[in-house]
Every structure is written in C-alpha cells, then in structure tokens.
Amino acid sequence: MGAGQDFTVMAWVKSSQTPTANKWPTIISKFDNTNGYNMVLWADTSLNKWYFECYIGGTQYTAWGAGSVNDGLWHHLAAVRQGNALQVFQDGVPGNIVGVSSGSLANSSPLRMGITADSGAWSTFTGAVDEAYIYQRALGCRN
C-alpha cells in the first residue's frame, strides 16, 4: 500500500489460544521490519486484547480492539486506515483511533496468515481465519 493509501484489512477469527509470555500470535501479516502491518490476537500476557499495528518507515502505530477475542467464538475484526487515522473494529464495535503517518506501508515481504513474515515461533496463531479481505480503500461500518 502506497503513501497516503487508504485501506481496510478484515477477517473472521476464532481462537481459544491462551496468552503466553513473549508470544504475539499473528493473524495476518505483511511486514518487513520497517514497513507493513500485523493483525495480532493479543500482546503476550501484558494485555489480552487484539490489535492492529502498522509500521511506516520504522515507526510503529498501534490501534487496540475493544477486548479479547480468544474465547472460542467467531469474531469479525477490521482495521481501517483513512487519511492519517487508523481505527479498528471488533464485531462492529469501534476500538481506538490513532494518528498515523501518510507514508507508505509497501514492502516486498509475502502476505502471511497465522504467522509473521519472519516466521518466528513467537508469532504462531492457533485457531481459524475465514473471509480475510484486504481492500485498497477505507470501508465504513455499513460495508
């Protein structure tokens, strides 16, 4: 995704993976350690909430979901970048909004599901992902 490119990343996710120290189970990833994004189930044992992070020129921007989604039920997760704002939605409920740079997230890393681009064991997601979509535009709640 190029500079200033609006986007939406979304998926249905089902997991009962238990938070573990030094683990960040990654649902969707396109990241090269400088630019890109990750949709993550939870942040080790420090915070049992899903989040979406994007990296632009090495700077990390993180938007946190409304709560945990590792309860064994299906949840719809979405991250939307529109202009200089990044917002997440969990089952249609808005999470927080963070300001982001208008820079590019473009990178040559492959798109991965269930693990990050560097394939670290610390990032393995255990669960199911369905109907994952990436749009090069910002979708609203009604989409």
Side-chain angles (χ1 to χ4, degrees), residues 4-21:
Q5 174 72 53
D6 290 351
F7 66 81
T8 302
V9 177
M10 63 183 175
W12 283 93
V13 176
K14 180 180 179 181
S15 179
S16 52
Q17 191 170 354
T18 304
T20 306

Side-chain angles (χ1 to χ4, degrees), residues 88-103:
V88 293
F89 296 86
Q90 176 179 327
D91 298 322
V93 176
N96 77 320
I97 301 172
V98 295
V100 297
S101 164
S102 61

Side-chain angles (χ1 to χ4, degrees), residues 102-127:
S102 61
S104 175
L105 280 78
N107 65 68
S108 60
S109 291
L111 177 67
R112 305 252 180 156
M113 303 203 48
I115 199 161
T116 59
D118 65 7
S119 302
W122 53 269
S123 69
T124 304
F125 169 77
T126 303

Side-chain angles (χ1 to χ4, degrees), residues 10 16 25 46-47 53 58 69 80 82 86 92 94 96 103 105 107 113 127 134-135 141-142:
M10 63 183 175
S16 52
S46 63
L47 189 57
E53 59 186 1
V69 293
V80 179
Q82 187 168 26
L86 175 66
N96 77 320
L105 280 78
N107 65 68
M113 303 203 48
I134 300 168
Y135 294 94
C141 289
R142 295 180 184 203

